[in-house]
């Protein structure tokens, strides 16, 4: 029963974002995919290769502690990096063979609680190897963690400047963009804002490096999990970084420990633990058209492998929902003229937030009692008048009966139909 | 050892209205030379959030002054200076009846300023409005706070009071997230702009260590960005999850059993900006948590931490 609901929603969400022509791309982290060996053929996978891309998280292949245990015997064995590299290469070959689009890669990362201060050269080397591995795969972005361990605050820029400059030269040659990512800093178990967590500083770094590179070689990947752990307002951070944000790592943490859970799953009697509305608003402001990297690995692992195929549609639906919400303002903007359908609360919300910027020609509603009345100074007219809309005019559905209303509009000959939602507007939802 | 920096603590849970001299003497004996007067405790925030209020601030100003006269005298007699004061908060309650918010704006806030002047207290801590979610952005939220501050700025100028905005948090479900004034860069710009306009320091900053810990701020970087705009401190500790207002160094979360709050960063920041004001603690719950008979010892212990801090900051 629940599967049917989720599948229906997924289809609905896809239809909505398609209608809007949203340009945000969805990709799934390899951590969110069970059964990577069947990447191109598993009908129960999260991935619909025609609609979505994939983001390779190197840790899927080499483990979470590959850097941490470098040169150290772990469990009596030295970590076999060659075997990990071979697994990775085989996966890339499989993706290619199966026409799975590789959107981005996340290079191995040093743990925030690391005690190792001798690994910065190794990180540089690893970064170079990852860029090299991505070359020719169609992968557009590589997320490379900034250096932090063993570096005094005053030296962070200098050390990272050297590091990213070296990586940037190689990335430019291979046509790949390097994305920095916001980090946490561990103070004896407590996580606070680390390197690149200050949007203003991160923006300065990116701009400086791009200026020196003479091209847009650097950008930003906003890790919503790190934001949550550092108690940051994700929307404000996204807005401050602006167009530098090329990817958003979408994952929910409980706020205390690092985790990769599906958005909206952290809810209690006091409300939603993570303010996803704020993220949506922030990304809307910037006109975000990059990649949403869905990492719900821990949610997935929490379920029995027998149930996981039923979790995938929900992950997809959440991704589509976020994509739809983020792209909404941009799509409203793209219609030269518009009419709103529905004169209720959602219409009022539209008028409050967008009425001045994107005013409708008029409002249409099925209720004859409203015809001729005014809503925020705009006249309400019967649906029949929609038969004679001016060239390029779209009808924006301002009620939640999207599909029923769309059918009615099509029957009236309306070809450009958009949908509006007031869920993520200021003060909306909750 | 003599220190240039003074050490203070909040009056809540120490100074009673019946015998204020007793509390001030206790402070003096414990080693404090300053006191953060908890005016906020006369209009509890818990009631305001439930859209209720008491009638304390309904009293005319001369009665309020008469009420606080024993407190002022006790401070003078003991030589414990009231160096800072906390205005009741919140200053705006989203969703509350209009009368409540008008009362906070037009009665509580101006009378708080008058009481601050009555104590000859140079700093009053003011909370910003928590409206980012409702208005859609931090800037829109600040605009409302600034409007409120501007309504008080002429009084601040007249009485030589600096209103200090504080880094505070808000919540999303059970999860604490950054709230008003958690961006030091923006705070610095706004403080400078308002002060330039009024020609005096009507606005400054109160750095709250507990809130900074909860919202994951980088203590040292934050303090250094503020520089001389930092006038007042609220020093207290927590587990990084709840706003517990406990004694510094009392929380550790790792196997090494070391403090999980960045006190080194805090001290380094103060040292670098050559902070020369009051190391003021806001640890009222620690005092009510310990048995009453231990209050003097607990107060003394907190003061000792203060003097340790002073030594580290002064170098």
């Amino acid at each position: 029963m629940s599967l049917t609901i989720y599948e229906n929603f997924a289809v609905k969400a896809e239809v909505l974002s398609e209608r809007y022509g949203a340009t945000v791309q969805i990709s799934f982290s390899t951590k969110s995919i069970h059964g990577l060996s069947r990447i191109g053929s598993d009908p129960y996978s999260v991935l619909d290769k025609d609609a979505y891309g994939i983001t390779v998280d190197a840790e899927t292949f080499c483990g979470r502690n590959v850097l941490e245990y470098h040169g150290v015997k772990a469990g009596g064995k030295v970590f076999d990096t060659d075997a990990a590299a071979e697994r990775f290469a085989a996966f890339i070959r499989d993706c290619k063979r199966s026409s799975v689009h590789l959107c981005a890669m996340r290079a191995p990362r040093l743990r925030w609680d690391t005690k190792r201060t001798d690994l910065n050269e190794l990180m540089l080397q690893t970064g170079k190897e990852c860029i090299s591995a991505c070359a020719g795969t169609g992968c557009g972005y590589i997320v490379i963690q900034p250096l932090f361990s063993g570096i005094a605050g005053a030296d962070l820029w200098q050390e990272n400047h050297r590091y990213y400059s070296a990586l940037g030269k190689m990335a430019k040659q291979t046509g790949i963009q390097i994305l920095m990512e916001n980090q946490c800093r561990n103070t004896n178990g407590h996580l606070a804002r680390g390197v690149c967590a200050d949007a203003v500083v991160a923006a300065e770094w990116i701009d400086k490096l791009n200026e020196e590179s003479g091209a847009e070689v650097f950008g930003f990947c906003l890790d919503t999990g790190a934001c949550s752990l550092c108690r940051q307002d994700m929307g404000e951070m996204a807005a401050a970084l602006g167009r530098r944000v090329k990817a958003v790592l979408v994952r929910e943490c409980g706020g205390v420990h690092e985790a990769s859970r599906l958005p909206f799953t952290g809810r209690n009697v006091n409300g939603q633990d993570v303010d996803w509305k704020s993220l949506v608003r922030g990304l809307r402001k910037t006109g975000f058209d990059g990649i949403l990297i869905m990492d719900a690995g821990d949610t997935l692992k929490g379920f029995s492998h027998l149930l996981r195929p039923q979790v995938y549609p929900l992950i997809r639906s959440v991704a589509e929902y976020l994509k739809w919400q983020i792209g909404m303002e941009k799509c409203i903007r793209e219609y030269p003229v518009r009419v709103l359908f529905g004169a209720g609360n959602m219409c009022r919300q539209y008028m409050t937030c967008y009425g001045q910027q994107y005013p409708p020609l008029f409002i249409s509603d099925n209720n004859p009692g409203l015809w001729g009345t005014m809503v925020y100074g705009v006249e309400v007219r019967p649906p029949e008048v929609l038969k004679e809309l001016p060239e390029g005019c779209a009808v924006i559905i301002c009620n939640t009966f999207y599909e029923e209303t769309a059918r009615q509009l099509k029957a009236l000959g309306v070809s450009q139909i958009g949908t509006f939602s007031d869920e993520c507007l200021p003060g909306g939802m909750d | 050892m003599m220190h240039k920096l003074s050490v203070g603590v909040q009056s809540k849970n120490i100074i009673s209205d019946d015998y204020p001299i007793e509390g001030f003497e206790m402070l003096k004996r414990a080693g404090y030379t300053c006191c953060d007067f908890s005016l906020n405790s006369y209009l509890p925030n818990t009631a305001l959030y439930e859209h209720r209020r008491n009638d304390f601030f309904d009293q005319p100003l001369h009665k309020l002054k008469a009420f606080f006269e024993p407190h002022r005298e006790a401070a003078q007699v003991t030589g414990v200076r009231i160096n800072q004061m906390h205005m009741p908060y919140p200053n705006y309650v989203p969703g509350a009846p209009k009368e409540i918010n008008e009362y906070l704006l037009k009665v509580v806030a101006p009378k708080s300023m008058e009481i601050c002047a009555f104590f000859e207290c140079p700093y009053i801590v003011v909370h910003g409005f928590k409206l980012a979610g409702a208005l859609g952005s931090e800037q829109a939220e600040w605009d409302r706070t600034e409007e409120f501050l501007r309504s008080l700025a002429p009084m601040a100028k007249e009485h030589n009071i600096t209103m200090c905005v504080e880094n505070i948090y808000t919540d999303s479900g059970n999860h604490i997230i950054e709230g008003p004034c958690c961006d030091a860069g923006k705070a610095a710009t706004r403080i400078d702009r308002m002060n330039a306009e009024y020609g005096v320091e009507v606005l400054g900053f109160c750095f709250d260590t507990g809130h900074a810990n909860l919202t994951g701020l980088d203590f040292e970087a934050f303090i250094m960005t503020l520089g001389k705009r930092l006038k007042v401190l609220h020093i207290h500790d927590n587990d990084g999850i709840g706003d517990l207002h406990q004694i510094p160094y009392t929380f550790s979360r790792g196997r090494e059993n070391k403090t999980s709050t960045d006190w080194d960063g805090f001290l380094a920041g103060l040292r670098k900006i050559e902070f020369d004001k009051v190391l003021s603690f806001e640890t009222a719950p620690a005092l009510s948590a310990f048995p009453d008979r231990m209050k003097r010892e607990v107060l003394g212990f907190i003061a000792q931490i203060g003097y340790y801090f002073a030594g580290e900051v002064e170098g």
Side-chain angles (χ1 to χ4, degrees):
Chain A
M1 180 64 183
S2 57
L3 176 63
T4 311
I5 291 168
Y6 294 145
E7 278 181 338
N8 284 344
F9 182 78
V11 169
K12 189 172 170 182
E14 280 167 33
V15 168
L16 293 176
S17 60
E18 193 181 303
R19 269 183 209 149
Y20 261 134
T23 49
V24 175
Q25 225 184 325
I26 293 172
S27 87
F28 293 94
S29 164
T30 44
K31 285 175 139 182
S32 281
I33 299 171
H34 175 63
L36 284 173
S37 55
R38 306 186 301 274
I39 191 73
S41 55
D42 183 2
Y44 297 112
S45 165
V46 72
L47 197 67
D48 171 349
K49 64 187 179 187
D50 295 329
Y52 309 117
I54 200 163
T55 291
V56 176
D57 193 318
E59 291 186 353
T60 316
F61 300 92
C62 60
R64 201 169 162 231
N65 296 315
V66 64
L67 296 174
E68 192 72 19
Y69 291 156
H70 177 73
V72 176
K73 278 190 177 182
K77 289 196 297 188
V78 175
F79 181 75
D80 188 348
T81 47
D82 290 342
E86 179 44 41
R87 282 199 296 276
F88 174 68
F91 174 74
I92 296 295
R93 282 196 298 274
D94 194 24
C95 285
K96 213 174 234 177
R97 194 168 46 242
S98 312
S99 305
V100 171
H101 175 50
L102 191 63
C103 294
M105 180 186 192
R106 287 184 85 207
R109 301 168 292 283
L110 203 54
R111 290 172 58 137
W112 292 327
D113 62 352
T114 186
K115 298 284 186 285
R116 300 281 302 263
T117 56
D118 59 331
L119 299 175
N120 292 341
E121 284 307 314
L122 177 70
M123 285 183 70
L124 177 63
Q125 188 55 37
T126 306
K128 285 180 177 173
E129 284 172 16
C130 287
I131 293 170
S132 177
C134 285
T137 63
C139 172
Y141 302 105
I142 180 159
V143 184
I144 299 184
Q145 184 187 38
L147 300 178
F148 63 95
S149 186
I151 304 172
D155 300 329
L156 278 170
W157 164 240
Q158 197 185 347
E159 290 297 315
N160 276 290
H161 182 227
R162 181 185 60 81
Y163 168 71
Y164 280 123
S165 296
L167 292 168
K169 277 179 197 156
M170 200 174 163
K172 191 178 177 184
Q173 284 166 2
T174 47
I176 293 170
Q177 199 167 353
I178 294 174
L179 306 185
M180 296 177 192
E181 199 176 52
N182 47 313
Q183 304 294 307
C184 291
R185 185 165 56 97
N186 187 303
T187 305
N188 299 313
H190 176 61
L191 296 174
R193 298 173 200 197
V195 188
C196 292
D198 184 323
V200 175
V201 174
E204 278 173 12
W205 285 19
I206 291 167
D207 293 349
K208 179 80 176 152
L209 285 162
N210 280 337
E211 193 188 319
E212 288 173 0
S213 303
E216 200 182 13
V217 178
F218 294 90
F220 200 83
C221 173
L222 182 67
D223 176 2
T224 61
C227 275
S228 180
L229 290 165
C230 297
R231 321 299 174 101
Q232 286 180 279
D233 183 323
M234 299 190 289
E236 289 293 330
M237 187 161 180
L241 283 159
R243 300 287 293 174
R244 298 172 191 89
V245 180
K246 304 297 177 190
V248 178
L249 180 66
V250 182
R251 58 178 184 146
E252 181 153 320
C253 291
V256 179
H257 303 292
E258 195 183 2
S260 294
R261 300 189 192 120
L262 185 65
F264 307 115
T265 53
R267 168 91 199 185
N268 55 65
V269 287
N270 291 321
Q272 203 76 39
D273 274 346
V274 176
D275 190 359
W276 292 105
K277 277 191 299 179
S278 176
L279 176 72
V280 167
R281 286 198 296 263
L283 292 173
R284 274 181 190 168
K285 272 183 208 162
T286 67
F288 176 71
D289 57 3
I291 305 172
L292 293 178
I293 304 171
M294 302 299 293
D295 183 358
D298 291 320
T299 297
L300 197 66
K301 282 176 205 150
F303 285 92
S304 154
H305 72 281
L306 296 171
L307 289 168
R308 284 176 199 165
Q310 300 190 54
V311 181
Y312 290 135
L314 180 61
I315 300 175
R316 281 200 295 264
S317 297
V318 168
E320 290 289 355
Y321 174 82
L322 289 172
K323 173 181 171 178
W324 174 53
Q325 285 286 356
I326 292 163
M328 195 168 292
E329 189 172 323
K330 195 176 176 196
C331 294
I332 291 171
R333 201 166 46 230
E334 278 168 7
Y335 293 122
V337 275
R338 62 205 70 77
V339 165
L340 305 184
F341 194 95
N345 284 337
M346 200 188 284
C347 170
R348 285 175 170 75
Q349 291 278 12
Y350 178 97
M351 292 306 295
T352 304
C353 294
Y354 297 112
Q356 288 211 322
Q357 246 179 317
Y358 312 113
L361 292 177
F362 59 89
I363 297 161
S364 185
D365 198 283
N366 285 330
N367 182 356
L370 296 175
W371 299 345
T373 64
M374 305 292 273
V375 174
Y376 283 74
V378 180
E379 190 188 354
V380 182
R381 297 185 191 172
E384 282 298 303
V385 299
L386 298 173
K387 287 179 178 171
E388 291 173 15
L389 288 174
E391 187 73 21
C393 181
V395 178
I396 310 284
I397 301 172
C398 277
N399 62 55
T400 54
F401 302 103
Y402 297 116
E403 284 165 1
E404 296 87 333
T405 310
R407 273 199 297 274
Q408 181 188 354
L409 294 174
K410 278 180 184 167
L412 289 165
V414 177
S415 57
Q416 295 202 77
I417 303 168
T419 45
F420 180 72
S421 160
D422 57 2
E423 273 190 312
C424 294
L425 298 180
M429 212 155 77
D430 275 343
Chain B
M1 183 182 170
M2 288 297 290
H3 289 286
K4 196 169 66 182
L5 286 165
S6 306
V7 175
V9 70
Q10 90 294 328
S11 63
K12 189 182 176 188
N13 287 348
I14 302 166
I15 291 161
S16 73
D17 293 328
D18 296 338
Y19 301 104
I21 187 73
E22 199 176 71
F24 276 100
E25 280 176 347
M26 198 191 299
L27 286 183
K28 190 181 179 185
R29 275 197 296 273
Y32 296 92
T33 54
C34 288
C35 173
D36 173 358
F37 197 80
S38 311
L39 190 63
N40 54 310
S41 59
Y42 295 89
L43 185 63
N45 60 342
T46 45
L48 289 173
Y49 288 127
E50 291 167 3
H51 305 172
R52 292 183 291 109
R53 69 170 181 87
N54 60 28
D55 58 2
F56 183 82
F57 284 91
D58 289 353
Q59 300 176 77
L61 194 57
H62 71 272
K63 283 203 172 177
L64 286 169
K65 286 181 179 176
F67 179 85
F68 287 121
E69 182 57 35
H71 305 70
R72 186 169 74 161
E73 272 180 24
Q76 281 168 352
V77 167
T78 54
V80 174
R81 181 165 54 97
I82 296 175
N83 70 295
Q84 63 192 72
M85 172 174 285
H86 206 310
M87 184 182 284
Y89 64 90
N91 292 305
Y92 182 86
V93 188
K98 197 178 167 191
E99 305 79 63
I100 293 259
N101 285 322
E102 289 213 337
Y103 181 76
L104 292 170
L105 177 70
K106 293 177 179 166
V107 179
V108 178
K111 282 184 176 172
S112 298
M113 298 295 284
E114 293 287 356
I115 296 164
C116 191
F118 173 72
F119 280 121
E120 294 177 29
C121 172
Y123 302 112
I124 188 162
V125 175
V126 183
H127 281 194
F129 293 6
K130 292 183 180 180
L131 288 171
L135 299 177
S137 73
E138 190 272 345
Q139 182 60 51
E141 172 185 75
W142 171 258
D143 290 344
R144 293 290 300 274
T145 297
E146 188 172 319
E147 194 183 318
F148 170 70
L149 293 168
R150 282 179 183 280
S151 74
L152 302 172
M155 285 180 83
K157 185 173 180 174
E158 184 191 339
H159 295 304
N160 291 318
I161 296 170
T162 301
M163 299 177 287
C164 295
V165 287
E166 176 186 357
N167 55 305
I168 57 177
Y169 57 84
T170 186
D171 47 57
S172 183
N174 280 352
H175 184 51
I176 281 174
I177 54 170
E178 62 181 316
C181 301
C182 283
D183 185 319
K186 284 182 183 173
T189 305
R190 290 161 178 171
I191 289 169
D192 291 350
R193 182 166 44 79
M194 265 190 81
N195 289 345
E197 200 177 311
Y198 285 90
V200 289
E201 286 188 322
V202 289
L203 200 57
F205 203 90
C206 167
F207 182 67
D208 186 298
T209 60
H211 300 170
N213 197 44
L214 287 174
T215 53
L217 298 183
D218 181 326
F219 286 27
E220 187 177 341
F222 199 97
I223 290 169
M224 285 176 65
T225 303
L226 287 173
K228 291 294 177 190
R229 301 169 192 92
L230 177 60
K231 306 294 183 191
V232 169
L233 295 170
H234 282 168
I235 305 172
H236 56 103
D237 204 356
N238 57 53
D239 59 358
I241 300 166
D243 190 14
L244 305 173
H245 285 260
Q246 291 295 324
I247 302 170
Y249 298 110
T250 48
F251 293 91
S252 70
R253 287 170 60 180
R255 287 186 176 180
E256 291 88 354
N257 299 322
K258 289 186 175 169
T259 178
S260 55
T261 303
D262 186 15
W263 294 110
D264 286 346
F266 172 62
L267 298 173
L270 293 182
R271 190 164 49 243
K272 285 176 183 169
I273 66 162
E274 298 178 349
F275 184 73
D276 58 0
K277 303 216 159 15
V278 181
L279 295 162
S280 192
F281 291 86
E282 203 185 44
T283 48
L287 297 170
S288 52
F290 280 95
D292 257 1
R293 287 178 59 185
M294 289 190 69
K295 191 172 274 187
R296 287 164 198 271
E297 286 79 4
V298 175
L299 269 175
F301 178 57
I302 296 169
Q304 282 178 41
I305 294 173
Y307 287 108
Y308 163 74
F309 281 172
E312 291 295 305
V313 174
E314 288 164 5

